[in-house]
Amino acid sequence: MKHKDGKYNSQPEKPFKIVPATLLVIVLCGFSFYLGGIFCSEKSRLEGKSVQDVSKTVSSPKEPAVDPLQIKSMAFQECSADFQDYTPCTDPRRWRKYGSHRLTFLERHCPPMLERKQCLVPPPDGYKPPIRWPKSRDECWYRNVPYNWINKQKSNQNWLRKQGEKFLFPGGGTMFPRGVGAYVDLMQDLIPEMRDGTVRTAIDTGCGVASWGGDLLDRGILTVSLAPRDNHEAQVQFALERGIPAILGVISTQRLPFPSNSFDMAHCSRCLIPWTEFGGIYLLEVHRILRPGGFWVLSGPPVNYENRWRGWNTTVEEQKSDYEKLEGLLTSMCFKMYAKKDDIAVWQKSSDSSCYNKLAEPDVYPAKCDDSLEPDSAWYTPLRPCVVVPKPELKKSALESLPKWPERLQVAPERISNVPGGSSSALKHDDSKWKVRAKHYKKLLPALGTNEIRNVMDMNTVYGGFAAAVIDDPLWTMNVVSSYATNTLPVVYDRGLIGTYHDWCEAFSTYPRTYDLLHLDGLFTAESHRCDMKYVLLEMDRILRPKGYALIRESSYFIDAIASIAKGLRWSCLREDTEYGVAKEKLLVCQKKLWYSASSSSR
């Protein structure tokens, strides 16, 4: 992927001198003999080494393969207690600096370098290790997310209920008073594709406490629950505390950080998004991220206005007008009504190119986006009032053409051909590599594969290989593709996995203490020329749960420097060999300590 300035990295070719052939052969033979000796001795050392406990501290290699990066040891101070739920790029302390038009202040606004925090975010007073999955779906510790406001405001809708030291999640919601299970049952009756593996990925805009996404997990559907940091305090934090995929975000003026044509289903249950305002620009963004043949599900105003309008502080005439306007906008964007019953209406995005061809006619609104607008460009990319038309040549990316789950995980998607070097054989090789690596990781980190680890992030994935290798474990994986790397995220979604674009020079869109395991593979090698290693590790510490793990796969050049900073973060780390014991690459297995603020009564 290009840099934000539109340029690629390039290095000028260096001149070289011609070496006599005989001398060159002698040098190469001697060098090969030397490398062979190193490899044999390293292999013997690995075979005789036993698995060690992750709580041991890191030790430097006796004979490093390269001169390591040297960083002085450092210690980080604790942030004050009022930073316990600090979200740097969506910080309410800074909202007043930004306009309220279209809720711009809720979007990402990261602090400038001079205002970046260099302190450790403390847990709330009384914080405990989260309840383990699957029990966590129904309850969490009150002290881990100590916000009773949402309980008081939504008590009549049965979102959650405080009982003793816990929050309980009965599965209620604004539009499903009989419980989320009955609500989804009705939805499956309307959309049979939810039952047979056709629908695999979904996005829930304005997710509440993510009960819809939590219910779908048992039905084989993986949902990204999306909500801003707003006056509901901690919707996304509740979701992640429960072990349900979620991310901070809002449809406002910027595109959502997802590729085009990716989600099989999008859902809004009275999410209060003004779909018909601003020329339907928010609907256009839903259209962009929804794959051809995908479903958009709406419950709440103005659906079923004939029976519901009295509770919406409006008139039946106003609601009828809103519904007709919504239908008109959806039709103009090549959606068609698929099913409707009671409070639920379902539209389907067309896979028929003839509908999209009409958008090129004069005076049509919304018009077809021109070719200068990259459909997958989504990191700080403004919303545009135009329709992103699916490429006609990508016929196998439509929902009805994809293999059903779980078969689609193993099949090379059509869009892999858009990736330089991407092919069916490249995907097969990547999957084989990650199966070997995951097996090795589980030897070094026995918690991986158990319910001790639920929320996982692969911080710089390619094809989602790590997530695919652990797909049968009781966890879910947020696959992150750098906004500066090759764009492979469409392939991740086509395989039935979820993920997001991100720039690791900035903070991630989540609350503190929301991931059990952070995995990275060569992230510092790829990004250290842009991002300060110290700030990346501070951000990892912010989003990692106490007693959570970081599994860092890096070049030997960086590994000791990372360990030095990790020690200042109060992590315990162990330096390990990779599965093949090569000298140029090492593993650092770290665990974050549970500590409390100096002013906390929990100490």
Side-chain angles (χ1 to χ4, degrees):
M1 190 179 290
K2 290 184 180 180
H3 287 240
K4 291 180 182 177
D5 60 5
K7 299 178 182 178
Y8 291 93
N9 278 338
S10 61
Q11 295 292 337
E13 295 185 0
K14 296 180 180 180
F16 62 91
K17 297 181 179 180
I18 299 176
V19 181
T22 305
L23 179 59
L24 183 60
V25 170
I26 293 172
V27 170
L28 288 176
C29 290
F31 188 60
S32 298
F33 179 80
Y34 173 70
L35 286 180
I38 292 178
F39 177 79
C40 291
S41 63
E42 183 70 15
K43 182 178 180 182
S44 299
R45 188 184 69 82
L46 178 64
E47 290 173 348
K49 186 173 183 278
S50 59
V51 177
Q52 300 181 53
D53 184 12
V54 73
S55 62
K56 296 181 180 178
T57 56
V58 67
S59 58
S60 300
K62 294 180 180 180
E63 296 180 1
V66 295
D67 292 332
L69 174 65
Q70 299 296 322
I71 288 183
K72 294 181 180 179
S73 59
M74 57 185 72
F76 298 99
Q77 301 296 317
E78 298 174 8
C79 300
S80 60
D82 60 335
F83 278 83
Q84 66 184 28
D85 285 322
Y86 181 49
T87 53
C89 297
T90 50
D91 186 0
R93 298 173 182 84
R94 307 180 72 244
W95 283 354
R96 65 181 183 275
K97 297 182 179 181
Y98 307 102
S100 59
H101 177 65
R102 286 171 54 182
L103 302 180
T104 304
F105 66 96
L106 292 177
E107 293 186 304
R108 288 179 59 87
H109 301 287
C110 299
M113 182 61 71
L114 293 177
E115 295 180 22
R116 298 185 73 169
K117 300 297 178 183
Q118 297 188 47
C119 54
L120 305 182
V121 175
D125 190 10
Y127 179 90
K128 300 179 182 180
I131 296 169
R132 294 184 179 180
W133 182 264
K135 198 174 180 181
S136 63
R137 178 163 43 189
D138 301 320
E139 60 184 40
C140 76
W141 298 115
Y142 165 72
R143 287 295 178 186
N144 288 13
V145 195
Y147 298 114
N148 209 29
W149 183 93
I150 193 172
N151 175 43
K152 293 177 180 177
Q153 292 293 317
K154 298 294 181 179
S155 58
N156 64 321
Q157 296 167 11
N158 222 22
W159 279 24
L160 70 166
R161 183 174 68 253
K162 188 175 182 294
Q163 184 173 301
E165 294 185 343
K166 295 179 179 178
F167 274 129
L168 306 183
F169 300 93
T174 308
M175 296 308 301
F176 31 97
R178 294 191 297 120
V180 68
Y183 176 78
V184 178
D185 286 342
L186 174 58
M187 196 176 297
Q188 285 189 329
D189 290 340
L190 298 176
I191 312 172
E193 291 86 347
M194 292 176 66
R195 297 183 184 272
D196 65 2
T198 300
V199 173
R200 165 60 182 172
T201 59
I203 182 168
D204 187 14
T205 54
C207 64
V209 293
S211 292
W212 186 74
D215 182 86
L216 288 176
L217 288 170
D218 283 341
R219 306 175 194 241
I221 298 175
L222 193 58
T223 304
V224 176
S225 294
L226 179 80
R229 177 160 185 162
D230 64 356
N231 61 353
H232 285 177
E233 289 279 354
Q235 296 178 73
V236 166
Q237 194 172 20
F238 274 118
L240 289 161
E241 187 70 19
R242 299 175 68 186
I244 301 171
I247 191 170
L248 283 168
V250 61
I251 309 179
S252 177
T253 68
Q254 306 284 335
R255 282 180 170 180
L256 296 176
F258 312 116
S260 64
N261 308 322
S262 293
F263 290 98
D264 305 333
M265 175 185 287
H267 172 256
C268 164
S269 174
R270 199 169 187 184
C271 56
L272 303 182
I273 296 174
W275 297 112
T276 59
E277 294 182 18
F278 311 111
I281 199 165
Y282 303 141
L283 274 174
L284 287 166
E285 178 62 359
V286 170
H287 182 281
R288 183 187 72 85
I289 63 176
L290 196 63
R291 72 173 65 254
F295 301 97
W296 186 58
V297 183
L298 177 66
S299 65
V303 176
N304 199 15
Y305 67 88
E306 303 94 330
N307 300 309
R308 291 284 193 177
W309 66 271
R310 291 180 181 84
W312 294 341
N313 298 319
T314 183
T315 66
V316 66
E317 291 80 13
E318 288 176 342
Q319 285 300 305
K320 181 181 180 181
S321 176
D322 285 349
Y323 185 76
E324 290 173 349
K325 187 176 182 180
L326 178 66
E327 279 193 313
L329 277 169
L330 287 164
T331 301
S332 70
M333 297 175 191
C334 296
F335 281 99
K336 59 182 179 181
M337 173 61 72
Y338 186 80
K340 183 181 177 184
K341 187 176 181 180
D342 298 336
D343 295 324
I344 300 176
V346 182
W347 285 267
Q348 186 175 31
K349 178 178 174 179
S350 178
S351 301
D352 185 2
S353 60
S354 63
C355 176
Y356 296 107
N357 292 336
K358 297 177 182 178
L359 301 179
E361 297 176 2
D363 301 323
V364 171
Y365 185 86
K368 173 185 174 181
C369 293
D370 61 50
D371 294 336
S372 66
L373 188 62
E374 167 57 46
D376 292 341
S377 178
W379 189 247
Y380 292 121
T381 300
L383 294 181
R384 297 281 191 266
C386 58
V387 178
V388 174
V389 175
K391 296 181 179 179
E393 63 270 21
L394 296 177
K395 297 179 180 179
K396 295 181 181 179
S397 295
L399 184 59
E400 62 269 19
S401 301
L402 287 173
K404 295 181 179 180
W405 182 262
E407 288 80 12
R408 79 191 253 189
L409 180 65
Q410 308 301 333
V411 177
E414 185 179 32
R415 288 195 282 185
I416 199 171
S417 61
N418 295 335
V419 178
S423 64
S424 177
S425 59
L427 181 67
K428 186 176 181 180
H429 173 75
D430 189 70
D431 277 353
S432 298
K433 174 183 71 178
W434 281 107
K435 285 178 182 177
V436 174
R437 290 183 173 186
K439 185 178 180 179
H440 183 62
Y441 291 171
K442 288 179 179 179
K443 292 180 180 178
L444 303 178
L445 184 57
L448 182 58
T450 73
N451 64 357
E452 186 178 339
I453 291 177
R454 172 63 185 170
N455 301 347
V456 176
M457 180 186 291
D458 192 356
M459 295 174 62
N460 60 327
T461 192
V462 179
Y463 299 130
F466 174 70
V470 295
I471 196 67
D472 294 325
D473 294 333
L475 55 81
W476 62 272
T477 305
M478 179 64 76
N479 294 282
V480 181
V481 171
S482 171
S483 58
Y484 281 75
T486 300
N487 181 24
T488 57
L489 198 53
V491 176
V492 171
Y493 272 95
D494 288 350
R495 300 187 70 188
L497 304 171
I498 58 173
T500 181
Y501 296 117
H502 184 65
D503 178 358
W504 282 110
C505 296
E506 300 179 2
F508 192 78
S509 296
T510 191
Y511 283 88
R513 304 173 301 280
T514 48
Y515 283 87
D516 299 302
L517 173 65
L518 301 177
H519 168 262
L520 63 86
D521 176 21
L523 177 65
F524 295 105
T525 298
E527 302 280 21
S528 62
H529 66 290
R530 299 192 310 107
C531 308
D532 189 320
M533 182 184 301
K534 172 181 63 178
Y535 287 112
V536 176
L537 284 161
L538 276 167
E539 175 61 7
M540 291 172 64
D541 181 80
R542 184 185 73 87
I543 67 179
L544 192 62
R545 285 172 166 172
K547 296 193 175 181
Y549 302 94
L551 188 51
I552 301 170
R553 188 184 189 100
E554 263 300 346
S555 68
S556 300
Y557 176 76
F558 285 106
I559 210 75
D560 284 349
I562 296 170
S564 179
I565 299 174
K567 186 177 181 180
L569 298 173
R570 309 180 188 183
W571 294 3
S572 297
C573 296
L574 182 67
R575 187 179 185 276
E576 293 282 4
D577 288 305
T578 61
E579 57 281 352
Y580 295 119
V582 295
K584 66 179 182 179
E585 189 178 49
K586 295 295 177 183
L587 291 168
L588 202 63
V589 185
C590 301
Q591 185 173 31
K592 177 179 175 178
K593 179 183 177 182
L594 172 57
W595 55 271
Y596 297 97
S597 171
S599 59
S600 171
S601 61
S602 301
R603 291 180 71 89

